[in-house]
Amino acid sequence: DCPGTSSAQAGSAAACQGCPNQALSEAAELRERLRGVKHTVLVLSGKGGVGKSTFSALLAQGLAADEAKQVALLDIDICGPSIPKMMGLEGEQVHQSGSGWSPVYVEENLGVMSVGFLLSSPDDAVIWRGPKKNGLIKQFLRDVDWGEIDYLIVDTPPGTSDEHLSIVQYLSAAHVDGAVIVTTPQEVSLQDVRKEISFCRKVKLPIIGVVENMSGFICPKCKNESQIFPPTTGGAEKMCQNLNVSLLGKVPLDPQIGKSCDKGQSFLSEAPESPATSSYRNIIQRVQEYCDQHHFQEEKII
């Protein structure tokens, strides 16, 4: 029993902040709210601008192509929320119900939540310190009515800082299948991605694998491939071999990807014949297989 409940100081920050009972209560709340989430996948990258949000959006859209699956996409990039634009949901707002915040739906089986829905304008800057960011991430997990979903995809900002520590800590109360780490072929990107892999290992977050984005450019006319970002140190493939991590696949550049994101359309549907679409579909299938295998192993343990 909490001794603060019978005190005149109960509920004040001085009496309750840091109390172990409070932490246990929050963990129970999160566990109850996320009880209906079957699989959770984090999308990480130590480097900005490598196509992490694009991959998160396409992973969610690819999984939701199976109408029997319920998919949710959570954007915790608090300062740079690009998911609403990519999903064609700019200008949408979050609705409150008796069971909490309702996600904004792209399709009946694909819901999205982002701080972008809480801003009065897409150009508004979010100028927050760490504790306020952490509070919103907790609120997204605890107060959003996710319902029964097969896949929760979490798009994170670059780096290994507040948001990453918070999401791993909060989700430890529930269940995380693992992380997909996105990079580009050049060493300046791989350098930061190695730090992200180190972060995952330190916080005991399983690594599903690495995706190499912008991996060459295949000319749509002559079909020749050019290396726009030369892999001077062997690219993601060599890094994965050295660090004993799975390489999920390589996605070539395609100008249509950027156009589809700007229009809020699914690249997978807009360019079904693109080599990039084929790569994405193979990667999505590997993520599904990993999650299914992970779930099967947990059931055996239980």
Side-chain angles (χ1 to χ4, degrees):
D1 291 337
C2 178
T5 53
S6 58
S7 166
Q9 297 297 318
S12 72
C16 299
Q17 195 163 8
C19 171
N21 286 346
Q22 188 184 37
L24 288 170
S25 173
E26 287 177 350
E29 278 185 307
L30 288 169
R31 194 179 298 112
E32 179 60 27
R33 177 61 86 178
L34 298 172
R35 186 171 47 84
V37 179
K38 190 173 180 183
H39 299 294
T40 304
V41 176
L42 272 59
V43 180
L44 305 173
S45 176
K47 193 75 175 170
V50 297
K52 172 182 49 55
S53 294
T54 303
F55 177 79
S56 299
L58 289 170
L59 176 60
Q61 289 164 340
L63 292 169
D66 180 354
E67 293 179 2
K69 301 292 184 186
Q70 288 291 328
V71 182
L73 176 57
L74 172 59
D75 179 10
I76 64 164
D77 191 346
I78 308 298
C79 295
S82 50
I83 288 296
K85 176 79 171 174
M86 291 180 176
M87 303 300 284
L89 299 173
E90 237 180 354
E92 295 287 343
Q93 293 184 330
V94 173
H95 298 286
Q96 185 95 27
S97 69
S99 54
W101 285 349
S102 298
V104 179
Y105 284 89
V106 184
E107 306 285 348
E108 285 187 10
N109 67 330
L110 176 54
V112 180
M113 181 56 68
S114 169
V115 70
F117 300 138
L118 307 177
L119 304 177
S120 57
S121 162
D123 299 330
D124 283 354
V126 179
I127 309 171
W128 290 356
R129 292 188 186 275
K132 197 167 182 182
K133 291 181 185 179
N134 299 344
L136 183 63
I137 292 169
K138 187 190 296 181
Q139 201 169 356
F140 279 156
L141 293 174
R142 186 191 60 204
D143 296 346
V144 174
D145 182 16
W146 295 111
E148 297 287 329
I149 55 177
D150 294 286
Y151 295 95
L152 173 62
I153 310 301
V154 183
D155 179 36
T156 66
T160 55
S161 193
D162 286 329
E163 294 92 329
H164 309 82
L165 288 168
S166 295
I167 195 72
V168 170
Q169 177 192 341
Y170 299 149
L171 286 174
S172 66
H175 163 81
V176 184
D177 286 81
V180 175
I181 301 174
V182 182
T183 185
T184 50
Q186 68 271 43
E187 177 59 25
V188 73
S189 175
L190 296 171
Q191 200 169 41
D192 288 343
V193 168
R194 291 187 190 98
K195 295 181 178 71
E196 198 74 47
I197 292 171
S198 173
F199 165 83
C200 290
R201 286 173 171 164
K202 284 181 179 177
V203 300
K204 296 180 171 53
L205 175 63
I207 299 170
I208 298 173
V210 173
V211 173
E212 185 178 84
N213 239 346
M214 309 181 200
S215 181
F217 169 69
I218 300 172
C219 176
K221 292 185 178 179
C222 68
K223 305 301 179 186
N224 283 334
E225 184 174 352
S226 304
Q227 294 298 329
I228 307 298
F229 302 111
T232 54
T233 58
E237 189 168 5
K238 181 69 173 173
M239 180 195 70
C240 288
Q241 289 172 1
N242 292 340
L243 297 178
N244 194 27
V245 176
S246 297
L247 178 66
L248 295 176
K250 301 180 179 182
V251 182
L253 278 163
D254 188 325
Q256 183 61 42
I257 296 175
K259 290 178 184 176
S260 296
C261 287
D262 284 349
K263 292 178 181 176
Q265 299 169 337
S266 171
F267 168 74
L268 302 178
S269 303
E270 293 293 303
E273 303 302 320
S274 168
T277 298
S278 177
S279 295
Y280 273 123
R281 292 201 184 282
N282 288 336
I283 292 165
I284 292 166
Q285 184 177 353
R286 290 193 65 182
V287 172
Q288 280 182 295
E289 288 170 356
Y290 176 94
C291 290
D292 290 342
Q293 182 66 24
H294 198 235
H295 186 67
F296 176 71
Q297 288 173 348
E298 286 194 335
E299 282 186 333
K300 279 182 70 178
I301 292 169
I302 292 168

